[in-house]
């Protein structure tokens, strides 16, 4: 890629400097906008034919590109074309081509003329700016006067509208109160006529439902009777428990006596009899048979006593259960 020559770079810089200087001169020569009045502010407005969206922040988009790594190399030297042709020289003596006094006169005329013209332009610009400032002050004063008058008219209109709205609301409130009063009077008269026969029936129904009651009777029903029933139930439970324990003790004693009696019978059955030692004689058979009858006779009262002892707790239990059942029935 051929590099630009230093002469071209210098020319481009000079062009940029001239453009910037011209822009500065235009900005300085352009009349500025006066400060906004109180309660207002200036706003930037586009006057071009094609509108452009203006934002406080410039839209930025990130882009990435990956390139291959290159080796470090020295910078490329400036391109200097090869010299062609032949060098020639010309001898010029002093005063042959340039006379300062003659050549400087048109340059001075141009410089002086431009200076005078620029001064006249500046004077005219100052006069024009002063005239514009005066017109602008007159316009601002007129605008402020019109704005004050507009505010006064708007305030007057607002007060009139508020007064109309207030009068309208007062009238509506008055009509509403009148309607409400009429409805209350009618409802009161209807309620009186309706409640004339309702109150006695309501009180009679409430009395029948139990809302009106005797305090003493209510206390007896809600406090004394439940307490009395709980005490009676506790007493009955204690009696039943004592009788149950007595029955269990009697049953235990009877069982122990029955076991002792069974052991005695077994001991008597195991003892040797006289008939086992001597041979039996026909006459002694009757004597040998007598203990058997005695045993049978002795066994009979024992069996009767056992049956009586076994039957006694049952009868006692029946006798003790009978008053308990009667007390429960009475309760």
């Amino acid at each position: 890629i051929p590099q630009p020559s230093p002469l071209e770079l210098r020319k481009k810089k000079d062009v940029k400097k001239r453009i910037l200087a011209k822009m500065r001169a235009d900005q300085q020569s352009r009349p500025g906008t006066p400060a906004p009045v109180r309660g207002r502010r200036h706003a930037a407005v586009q006057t071009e034919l094609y509108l452009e969206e203006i934002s406080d922040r410039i839209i930025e988009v990130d882009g990435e590109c990956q390139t291959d790594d290159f080796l470090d190399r020295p910078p490329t030297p400036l391109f200097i074309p090869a010299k062609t042709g032949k060098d020639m020289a010309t001898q010029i003596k002093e005063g042959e081509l340039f006379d300062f006094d003659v050549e400087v006169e048109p340059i001075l005329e141009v410089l002086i003329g431009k200076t005078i013209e620029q001064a006249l332009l500046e004077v005219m610009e100052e006069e024009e700016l002063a005239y514009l400032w005066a017109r602008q002050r007159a316009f601002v004063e007129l605008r402020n006067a019109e704005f004050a008058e507009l505010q006064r008219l708007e305030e007057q209109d607002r007060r009139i509208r508020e007064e109309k709205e207030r009068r309208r609301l007062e009238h509506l409130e008055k009509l509403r109160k009148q309607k409400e009063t009429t409805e209350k009077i009618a409802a009161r008269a209807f309620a009186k006529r309706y409640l004339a026969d309702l109150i006695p029936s309501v009180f009679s129904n409430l009395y029948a439902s139990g809302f009106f009651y005797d305090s003493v009777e209510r206390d007896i029903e809600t406090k004394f009777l439940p307490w009395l029933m709980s005490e009676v139930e506790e007493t009955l439970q204690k009696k039943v428990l004592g009788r149950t324990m007595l029955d269990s003790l009697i049953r235990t004693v009877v069982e122990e006596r029955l076991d002792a009696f069974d052991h005695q019978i077994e001991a008597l059955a195991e003892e040797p009899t006289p008939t086992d030692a001597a041979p039996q004689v026909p006459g002694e058979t009757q004597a040998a048979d007598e203990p058997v009858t005695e045993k049978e006779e002795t066994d009979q009262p024992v069996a009767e006593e056992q049956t009586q002892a076994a039957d006694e707790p049952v009868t006692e239990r029946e006798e003790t259960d009978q008053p308990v059942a009667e007390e429960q029935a009475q309760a």
Side-chain angles (χ1 to χ4, degrees):
I1 299 173
Q3 297 291 335
S5 63
L7 183 60
E8 292 179 356
L9 294 174
R10 192 178 298 108
K11 287 181 179 180
K12 289 182 180 180
K13 289 182 180 179
D14 293 340
V15 171
K16 288 182 180 179
K17 287 181 180 179
R18 284 198 297 272
I19 292 172
L20 292 174
K22 187 176 181 181
M23 291 175 64
R24 292 195 196 96
D26 292 340
Q27 291 178 358
Q28 292 177 0
S29 62
R30 187 180 304 164
T33 305
V37 297
R38 185 175 182 181
R40 294 192 177 186
R41 63 175 183 176
H42 290 317
V45 180
Q46 296 183 11
T47 58
E48 290 80 2
L49 297 178
Y50 301 97
L51 299 179
E52 180 182 359
E53 184 180 0
I54 298 175
S55 60
D56 297 337
R57 186 177 62 84
I58 299 174
I59 300 174
E60 298 178 355
V61 179
D62 296 335
E64 296 180 358
C65 180
Q66 180 65 35
T67 58
D68 297 334
D69 297 335
F70 292 99
L71 298 175
D72 296 335
R73 62 183 183 82
T76 303
L78 295 176
F79 174 73
I80 300 175
K83 188 176 181 181
T84 58
K86 297 180 180 180
D87 295 335
M88 301 297 291
T90 302
Q91 180 67 33
I92 299 173
K93 295 182 179 180
E94 186 179 356
E96 290 182 356
L97 296 178
F98 181 75
D99 187 1
F100 179 77
D101 295 335
V102 177
E103 300 294 338
V104 81
E105 184 176 354
I107 296 174
L108 290 175
E109 289 178 357
V110 172
L111 291 175
I112 293 170
K114 287 291 184 182
T115 302
I116 294 172
E117 185 181 359
Q118 185 67 27
L120 291 174
L121 289 174
E122 290 179 359
V123 171
M124 292 173 65
E125 185 178 358
E126 290 176 358
E127 292 178 355
E128 186 177 0
L129 287 175
Y131 177 74
L132 290 175
W133 279 108
R135 290 290 300 275
Q136 189 172 5
R137 283 194 297 271
F139 173 74
V140 169
E141 292 175 359
L142 180 61
R143 186 184 62 180
N144 292 336
E146 292 177 354
F147 182 70
E149 183 66 18
L150 179 62
Q151 286 183 343
R152 187 183 67 80
L153 294 176
E154 288 179 353
E155 184 67 20
Q156 183 180 359
D157 187 23
R158 185 184 63 81
R159 288 198 300 270
I160 293 172
R161 283 189 284 102
E162 289 180 354
E163 184 67 20
K164 287 182 179 179
E165 185 68 18
R166 187 174 62 82
R167 294 289 180 86
R168 188 180 67 82
L169 293 176
E170 287 179 357
H171 183 67
L172 292 176
E173 184 67 19
K174 183 178 179 181
L175 294 177
R176 187 185 64 81
K177 287 184 178 179
Q178 289 180 356
K179 184 179 179 181
E180 185 178 356
T181 305
T182 306
E183 291 178 354
K184 285 183 178 179
I185 293 171
R188 185 176 180 182
F190 178 76
K192 282 184 177 180
R193 294 183 62 185
Y194 182 75
L195 294 176
D197 299 331
L198 183 64
I199 292 175
S201 62
V202 169
F203 274 99
S204 62
N205 291 331
L206 291 176
Y207 187 80
S209 300
F211 286 95
F212 303 105
Y213 54 85
D214 188 4
S215 60
V216 178
E217 183 180 357
R218 184 64 177 270
D219 291 338
I220 292 173
E221 291 178 356
T222 58
K223 296 181 181 180
F224 179 72
L225 289 179
W227 173 80
L228 181 62
M229 292 299 294
S230 63
E231 292 294 330
V232 171
E233 185 178 358
E234 185 177 357
T235 304
L236 292 176
Q237 288 179 357
K238 289 181 181 179
K239 289 182 179 180
V240 171
L241 179 62
R243 289 171 182 175
T244 304
M245 293 179 65
L246 180 61
D247 292 342
S248 64
L249 290 174
I250 293 171
R251 182 180 294 278
T252 304
V253 172
V254 170
E255 289 177 354
E256 289 179 355
R257 288 182 180 180
L258 184 61
D259 292 338
F261 183 73
D262 291 337
H263 288 303
Q264 290 178 3
I265 292 174
E266 291 177 358
L268 291 174
E270 291 177 357
E271 289 180 359
T273 60
T275 57
D276 295 336
Q280 294 181 357
V281 181
E284 295 176 354
T285 56
Q286 186 178 359
D289 294 336
E290 289 179 359
V292 176
T293 57
E294 291 177 359
K295 186 176 181 180
E296 290 176 357
E297 291 177 358
T298 55
D299 290 341
Q300 185 176 2
V302 171
E304 292 177 356
E305 291 177 0
Q306 183 177 359
T307 55
Q308 291 177 1
D311 294 333
E312 284 177 359
V314 176
T315 56
E316 288 178 0
R317 187 182 304 167
E318 291 177 354
E319 291 176 358
T320 54
D321 290 342
Q322 185 176 2
V324 173
E326 292 178 355
E327 289 177 359
Q328 290 179 356
Q330 292 176 1

